[in-house]
Amino acid sequence: ATVGFSHPPPCTPVGNWLTTMALPARVTGTNRALAIALSKRCFAAQSETKEKLWGVHSSLDLEELYPVPSMLFSNQRNIVNEIRPVDKEMAKDWFESLQSVVEHSGPNRARFLLHMLLDEAARLDVAIGQPTITPFYNTIPSSQEKPYPGDMVMEKKICNIIRWNAAVMVSDANKRAPGVGGHIGTFAGIADFIEVLQNHFLRGKEGDGMGDSLYVQGHSSPGTYARAFLEGRLSINRILNFRQEVKAGEGLSSYPHPRLMPDFWENPTVSMGLGPLVAAHQARYFRYLHMRGLKDTANSRVWCFIGDGEMDEAETVSAIAVGGRERLNNLCFIVNCNYQRLDGPVRGNSKVIQEFEGLFRGAGYDVIKLVWGSTMSKLIDEDHDGQLIEVLETMRDGDAQRLSAKNDGALIRKEIFEDHGLGDRVSHLKDADLVEAWNVPAGHDWQKIYAALDQAAQNAESGTKPTVILAKTLKGFGLETFQGRNIVHQKK
C-alpha cells in the first residue's frame, strides 16, 4: 500500500512508540502500511543527528517492523529482499543530498527535485510507483513548448467572432421566446480550446480511415452552431430557430442530438456523464475494429470535453476506469476546469485540478495539467524558493474564483503576494497586468493549449496510455460583465 502525508503526525518517543504499537499480526493491509509510515516519520522527528537517523536506527527498518515474511504482501516481500543488500554508504549519500537541498532551498524545492527524479526513473524503465498528485503547475514547461504553427492573431479574431455570435444567438432566442433557455458561459470559457483543436488536430473523414470522433460539452453547443454558421453550413433561419418548436430540419436542438439533427451531430453528450461514457467505449470500439481488420481506425482519435462539475457523475468515473483499464491511447479527455457548476462552485474549499489529477493518474492516464498562462508561468519559473507555488497550492478554488470575479489587480497583489512577503516579485507589474495574468489562465493561452494538444496527439501515436488535459479556464471568458461569476451559467 502507498501512504502519503501532508503533515507529520504527533510523535511519542521512539521507544514508547514501538512499545505501545508493536504491530501485531492482526494489523495488516493499509493499516499496517500506515503504522510503518507513521513509525518511520516519528524516527525522523525524534532524530537529532544524521548518524542517529541513518546509522543506529537503520536496523529498525523493515526487517524488524516486518519480522515475519508471511505478514507481507508478495510484492512487499520482494521489496524487502531488495532492500537488505543495499549499499548503506550509497544510501547515506542520497539522504545527505536531500537534507542539504531542504536546508538550503526549502522543502518545496526538494519536492520538485524528487518529482523530477521519479520522472527520470520512469523514463529509464525503473519499476517504481509514480505520485498521484504533482505540484500545482503546468505539466509542460514553457521552455518545451513548440512554436504555434498557425496565424494566431487571425485565429483569435475568428474565435472572438464565434464567441460573440454564440452569445447573441442565445440572447436573441430568449428575447423572442422568453424562457427558452440556452447557455453562453460554457462555450465562452472553452472556445479557445475548441478552436485550436479544430484548426490543428481534428481529422475529418475525407482522409485515410474513419477520422476522429468529437464529444463536446452539451452546454457549449451554441458555439458549435455559431462556427457552422460562419462556415456556411447552417443558414441564418436555422440559427434564429435555436431551441424553437419547428418542423424537422428547420431548427437547432438544445444539445448535441443525433436523432433530432442526424445531418449535424454524431455523438450525444447530454445528460451529464453521457459524453465521457460513450467516448470511452467509442475509443474501445475503434481499437476493436482495427485489431480485427474490420476498419482502418489506426489514426482515429476520440476527443471528449468534460465539465468539472460533470466529473461527479457516476458515468464519468466509470468511463475513466474503462479508458485506463483498456489502455486506450487513442482517447483524450479534456476537463474544462472553470471551478463552477450550474450556480455555484464545484469545490469551493479544495482544489479540483489536484483532485482530478489523482483520480486520473490512479486509473493509469497520462495527465497534462494546464493551469497558468504565460505571465503567471514566468513568475513561477522565477520562484527560486518555492514560496509562490506554496501560496498558490494552499489557495482554495473558492478564493481563486473570488479574485477572478473581483477583477481587481490591487486585491490580487495584496492577497497573493504582499500578504506573504512576496510584493517585490510583482513590483514591476501594474495592477492591470496582474488582472490579465490572473484572469488569462492556461486554458485561454493559445501557445500552451497547442502544446498540451500536441502532446496528447503524440501519446495517441506512440503512447501506451489514454490522456487527460486538466485545463484551468474562466466560465464566461470574454463576457466582461459576468465572467467568472456564479450567475454566469444562467445568463442569457
Side-chain angles (χ1 to χ4, degrees):
T2 301
V3 181
F5 298 97
S6 298
H7 303 285
C11 297
T12 58
V14 174
N16 293 342
W17 177 267
L18 293 179
T19 302
T20 56
M21 192 190 70
L23 302 182
R26 65 177 180 275
V27 181
T28 59
T30 302
N31 290 335
R32 188 169 188 81
L34 178 62
I36 296 293
L38 287 172
S39 178
K40 291 174 76 66
R41 181 62 66 90
C42 286
F43 281 136
Q46 294 295 324
S47 298
E48 296 180 356
T49 63
K50 288 178 291 184
E51 289 75 21
K52 183 176 181 182
L53 179 59
W54 306 117
V56 175
H57 293 303
S58 62
S59 62
L60 291 176
D61 275 346
L62 294 181
E63 288 111 327
E64 283 201 20
L65 295 175
Y66 274 150
V68 183
S70 62
M71 292 181 181
L72 297 167
F73 299 126
S74 58
N75 65 324
Q76 289 176 318
R77 284 198 294 272
N78 294 336
I79 290 173
V80 172
N81 292 335
E82 292 296 324
I83 287 176
R84 281 172 178 154
V86 159
D87 185 334
K88 299 294 183 181
E89 288 302 316
M90 181 183 295
K92 184 178 179 181
D93 290 342
W94 280 81
F95 298 147
E96 289 178 346
S97 297
L98 176 61
Q99 186 175 19
S100 177
V101 171
V102 173
E103 289 176 354
H104 291 91
S105 302
N108 278 322
R109 185 60 57 191
R111 182 163 62 104
F112 272 90
L113 287 173
L114 288 172
H115 278 292
M116 292 172 64
L117 189 64
L118 286 172
D119 289 341
E120 181 66 10
R123 190 186 69 81
L124 296 173
D125 294 326
V126 177
I128 186 171
Q130 294 294 302
T132 56
I133 298 177
T134 60
F136 193 54
Y137 185 54
N138 298 339
T139 301
I140 302 174
S142 300
S143 59
Q144 299 298 314
E145 295 169 357
K146 294 182 179 179
Y148 194 81
D151 185 341
M152 190 184 298
V153 174
M154 179 58 70
E155 290 180 32
K156 284 186 175 182
K157 184 176 181 179
I158 294 172
C159 181
N160 287 333
I161 292 172
I162 295 171
R163 185 185 274 118
W164 173 257
N165 283 351
V168 171
M169 180 179 67
V170 175
S171 180
D172 175 75
N174 281 271
K175 287 180 179 178
R176 290 184 293 108
V180 73
H183 310 278
I184 60 177
T186 300
F187 175 73
I190 202 65
D192 301 294
F193 227 108
I194 293 177
E195 280 301 297
V196 176
L197 176 67
Q198 291 190 311
N199 290 339
H200 299 284
F201 294 97
L202 274 183
R203 293 170 175 167
K205 294 175 172 52
E206 64 277 3
D208 296 333
M210 294 181 64
D212 289 351
S213 189
L214 175 64
Y215 293 77
V216 302
Q217 278 183 260
H219 289 160
S220 72
S221 59
T224 306
Y225 295 140
R227 195 178 206 272
F229 169 71
L230 199 64
E231 295 170 341
R233 297 170 54 213
L234 291 177
S235 68
I236 187 62
N237 290 331
R238 293 193 74 175
I239 292 293
L240 293 175
N241 284 330
F242 173 66
R243 284 198 170 204
Q244 305 297 317
E245 292 288 345
V246 293
K247 293 181 181 179
E250 295 183 2
L252 300 177
S253 60
S254 302
Y255 305 120
H257 204 310
R259 187 173 179 182
L260 291 178
M261 296 179 63
D263 60 330
F264 192 87
W265 294 113
E266 282 189 335
N267 304 308
T269 56
V270 173
S271 62
M272 299 295 95
L274 180 62
L277 182 63
V278 179
H281 287 280
Q282 178 69 65
R284 189 168 183 258
Y285 190 56
F286 275 164
R287 178 74 56 78
Y288 174 89
L289 292 173
H290 178 69
M291 296 296 290
R292 284 157 181 77
L294 300 175
K295 201 73 175 179
D296 181 11
T297 60
N299 296 319
S300 296
R301 291 87 55 94
V302 178
W303 308 88
C304 178
F305 287 88
I306 312 174
D308 48 1
E310 190 176 8
M311 285 290 296
D312 286 341
E313 301 293 333
E315 293 85 355
T316 303
V317 178
S318 173
I320 293 170
V322 170
R325 181 174 65 245
E326 300 293 333
R327 298 187 178 184
L328 301 175
N329 66 310
N330 58 343
L331 172 65
C332 179
F333 286 131
I334 302 167
V335 184
N336 179 17
C337 298
N338 57 37
Y339 295 174
Q340 293 178 245
R341 53 177 83 244
L342 298 183
D343 289 305
V346 176
R347 302 275 192 280
N349 290 320
S350 62
K351 304 185 80 64
V352 292
I353 292 179
Q354 300 296 80
E355 175 188 332
F356 297 159
E357 180 185 23
L359 176 63
F360 278 102
R361 281 187 181 275
Y365 282 66
D366 187 5
V367 179
I368 302 173
K369 288 201 293 194
L370 208 57
V371 186
W372 306 112
S374 297
T375 303
M376 284 297 296
S377 291
K378 185 176 181 181
L379 292 173
I380 295 173
D381 288 341
E382 297 170 351
D383 182 32
H384 58 279
D385 54 7
Q387 290 188 51
L388 177 56
I389 196 66
E390 183 176 1
V391 172
L392 297 173
E393 286 190 323
T394 54
M395 171 174 277
R396 298 174 180 180
D397 288 352
D399 288 325
Q401 201 69 2
R402 174 176 54 82
L403 291 180
S404 295
K406 292 287 187 182
N407 212 38
D408 185 341
L411 185 64
I412 295 171
R413 185 186 304 275
K414 178 181 183 299
E415 294 197 8
I416 301 296
F417 299 96
E418 292 178 347
D419 286 354
H420 302 278
L422 306 175
D424 60 308
R425 304 193 184 186
V426 290
S427 58
H428 62 292
L429 297 176
K430 299 178 181 178
D431 287 351
D433 298 329
L434 286 176
V435 169
E436 182 177 359
W438 190 258
N439 280 349
V440 184
H444 302 293
D445 188 312
W446 286 46
Q447 178 65 56
K448 297 187 180 300
I449 293 171
Y450 179 83
L453 289 172
D454 182 66
Q455 183 60 56
Q458 291 183 46
N459 292 348
E461 295 291 337
S462 58
T464 59
K465 303 177 181 180
T467 302
V468 61
I469 301 174
L470 303 176
K472 174 68 184 81
T473 64
L474 274 184
K475 197 165 189 174
F477 183 78
L479 307 176
E480 186 175 347
T481 55
F482 47 82
Q483 74 170 15
R485 298 177 181 271
N486 286 337
I487 59 173
V488 63
H489 190 80
Q490 300 301 336
K491 279 291 183 179
K492 313 301 177 195

